[in-house]
Amino acid sequence: MNGDNLPRAKPINLQEKIPINYITFLIIIVILASIITTLVLKNLVQHISYYAAAYFTITTLFDVVGVDAAAIVFSSLHTSGIGFETLFPILIADGIIKIVILGFVLAGVVDLITNIHIREHLIKFRIKHSKEIIIIAGYGVLSEKLCDMFSLKKINFVVIDSHTEKRDIFLSKGYNYVFGNFTESRVLEEAGINKSNTIIFATSSDFENILGVMVARDTNSQIKIIARAAEESTIEKMHYVGANLCVVPETVSGFNIANAIIKGLR
Amino acid sequence: MDNRVIVCGFGAVGRKVADVLKDHDMKVLVIELDPFQKDNIRELGYDVLIGDATSAQTLKKANIKTARAIVAAIDNDAKNLFIVLTAHQLNNDIFIATRTKDEMVTEKFIEAGANYIVNSLKSATNEIMNELLK
């Protein structure tokens, strides 16, 4: 296509790199903040030990139940001449820690949600538990019309297509979909061919449709198979490989027009 | 008026129309743009006129004034619309049938004077729905 001579940019696998570094980074921030705050506190309120300073830091920063830094500052106020300004570093560190922890938790939750693939599981569930479901293999102009009609009549269906760009269309219309090549029995099974009573092959290519018919008939000998063809000469072949009905849209139109003329001129 | 029907365009639709009409003993004249189809059409038993069906001149040559019906079966909605308009102008009484791909333009065809309009996809959908609801 374009830029065959340009050096290919190495694809960065963000999925694997960022989380580990990010987590390490967050942990380092938390530890550093804790240590610095402890030291600052020890420095400012000198009569307490390092252990006490650490204790008060941790309880403040991590909201652990116990005596927090404010208490120790207040108790030392009139004895060591320190003021509320000693709380300042702890408050800043507290803010940082909270944001970091919150961000970390949020990121984890978002990651979990996006990895659940709710929609795909919902579709699988629907396919499994619908009483009657029609499979439409190939999403073209004819399929679009069929799907509109099915939606109108509240008939359950699932669309199979190999072009993932159509995902947006399916999402916006709320259709059940399976991405894959319908000439593979695995894909047909995923779409529920073993429990469906009808499958319709509606791509614009007779070759693809007829291959789909063969695989479908092979996988489920009872299912009703409807296929679209572009030429009348394909009809016989379709029936031979197991289609119950073969529709040639143009032929149907021609037939209707001719009939209208014959009736109209009687 | 004789029992003559003019079929514009010898594609899948035009072909089928011609076949069925012939089976019912109607005379068919095919207007087709592609000169290489001439022999093929003639062999199938139809009169053929090579020319542009959207042109009034061609339609006059096809004796549209005495034909009973005309079918605009070209693979292009705009051209079919033109044929409908021209045919209606030249012969007010003729029965005009046409095919269309886009449902939105059906109204225009009716305004232009078409008596019968088919949408291939709609026909196919209906046939499939009928089979499913059996």
Side-chain angles (χ1 to χ4, degrees):
Chain A
M1 283 207 282
N2 58 346
D4 274 349
N5 298 325
L6 295 175
R8 275 199 153 174
K10 218 168 161 208
I12 304 171
N13 198 343
L14 288 173
Q15 209 60 32
E16 286 165 27
K17 278 196 174 177
I18 284 192
I20 296 176
N21 288 349
Y22 194 50
I23 291 172
T24 316
F25 182 59
L26 296 180
I27 292 176
I28 288 176
I29 288 184
V30 168
I31 292 177
L32 269 180
S34 307
I35 293 175
I36 291 173
T37 314
T38 308
L39 294 174
V40 166
L41 192 60
K42 170 66 186 157
N43 223 23
L44 292 174
V45 189
Q46 305 203 315
H47 65 276
I48 61 175
S49 66
Y50 274 108
Y51 295 118
Y55 172 77
F56 292 122
T57 307
I58 302 295
T59 53
T60 313
L61 294 183
F62 299 103
D63 282 338
V64 180
V65 175
V67 183
D68 65 10
I72 195 64
V73 169
F74 295 149
S75 69
S76 313
L77 263 180
H78 50 274
T79 51
S80 359
I82 59 173
F84 285 106
E85 63 270 12
T86 51
L87 282 177
F88 215 58
I90 291 200
L91 291 177
I92 292 177
D94 193 15
I96 294 172
I97 300 284
K98 292 293 163 38
I99 290 171
V100 159
I101 292 178
L102 195 66
F104 181 35
V105 169
L106 269 179
V109 169
V110 168
D111 189 49
L112 193 68
I113 290 178
T114 53
N115 277 330
I116 284 180
H117 294 304
I118 292 178
R119 183 159 287 273
E120 264 87 46
H121 281 117
L122 189 64
I123 291 172
K124 274 207 182 85
F125 184 83
R126 280 199 207 130
I127 293 175
K128 204 169 173 207
H129 295 278
S130 303
K131 268 203 210 106
E132 287 185 17
I133 191 163
I134 297 181
I135 304 174
I136 300 186
Y139 192 74
V141 280
L142 179 59
S143 312
E144 205 182 312
K145 273 206 143 51
L146 284 169
C147 290
D148 286 343
M149 187 75 71
F150 289 151
S151 298
L152 215 69
K153 292 191 186 280
K154 305 265 197 302
I155 297 175
N156 289 329
F157 64 91
V158 52
V159 182
I160 305 177
D161 200 285
S162 54
H163 300 107
T164 48
E165 312 90 74
K166 298 185 189 168
R167 177 175 273 136
D168 287 339
I169 304 175
F170 300 146
L171 285 177
S172 66
K173 293 197 177 198
Y175 290 167
N176 297 321
Y177 59 87
V178 168
F179 280 120
N181 194 338
F182 62 65
T183 55
E184 292 173 34
S185 54
R186 174 189 63 83
V187 175
L188 291 178
E189 274 158 20
E190 206 180 312
I193 193 169
N194 288 317
K195 66 164 304 212
S196 165
N197 43 28
T198 311
I199 181 167
I200 305 174
F201 290 94
T203 73
S204 49
S205 158
D206 286 9
F207 306 128
E208 280 192 54
N209 288 343
I210 208 166
L211 185 54
V213 171
M214 287 174 75
V215 180
R217 183 52 77 210
D218 205 35
T219 314
N220 182 338
S221 53
Q222 304 300 322
I223 192 172
K224 181 185 277 190
I225 301 180
I226 301 176
R228 175 227 180 125
E231 297 181 1
E232 274 188 86
S233 53
T234 311
I235 298 180
E236 207 186 307
K237 298 185 188 103
M238 286 284 190
H239 283 125
Y240 185 74
V241 296
N244 299 92
L245 171 68
C246 181
V247 177
V248 182
E250 276 80 34
T251 304
V252 176
S253 302
F255 200 73
N256 290 342
I257 290 178
N259 273 335
I261 292 176
I262 292 166
K263 285 203 185 110
L265 300 185
R266 282 260 164 80
Chain B
M1 269 206 278
D2 45 9
N3 243 10
R4 243 174 3 105
V5 179
I6 302 173
V7 175
C8 307
F10 203 66
V13 179
R15 200 169 313 191
K16 191 65 185 172
V17 175
D19 281 349
V20 178
L21 289 176
K22 184 157 178 276
D23 285 343
H24 284 85
D25 295 323
M26 304 197 97
K27 262 198 112 191
V28 173
L29 167 67
V30 175
I31 302 181
E32 167 59 45
L33 197 58
D34 181 6
F36 291 108
Q37 293 258 32
K38 189 170 181 177
D39 292 331
N40 180 27
I41 300 173
R42 194 155 270 155
E43 267 170 49
L44 289 167
Y46 311 112
D47 292 332
V48 55
L49 171 62
I50 298 295
D52 184 357
T54 59
S55 140
Q57 210 179 26
T58 312
L59 292 179
K60 281 188 198 157
K61 237 173 149 184
N63 288 325
I64 187 171
K65 296 220 166 108
T66 56
R68 291 267 246 156
I70 182 167
V71 178
I74 295 182
D75 198 15
N76 180 312
D77 283 4
K79 289 192 180 166
N80 284 336
L81 186 59
F82 213 82
I83 295 174
V84 172
L85 282 165
T86 317
H88 194 66
Q89 265 182 330
L90 295 172
N91 183 342
N92 225 350
D93 299 318
I94 194 170
F95 184 90
I96 306 176
T98 178
R99 67 177 283 203
T100 165
K101 291 207 265 199
D102 182 3
E103 274 213 54
M104 303 293 174
V105 301
T106 307
E107 260 183 55
K108 301 269 179 294
F109 277 97
I110 298 175
E111 278 174 38
N115 301 98
Y116 190 74
I117 304 161
V118 247
N119 181 321
S120 309
L121 292 177
K122 198 144 179 257
S123 313
T125 310
N126 286 340
E127 196 172 315
I128 292 177
M129 293 304 292
N130 286 339
E131 176 70 18
L132 291 175
L133 300 174
K134 263 192 197 162

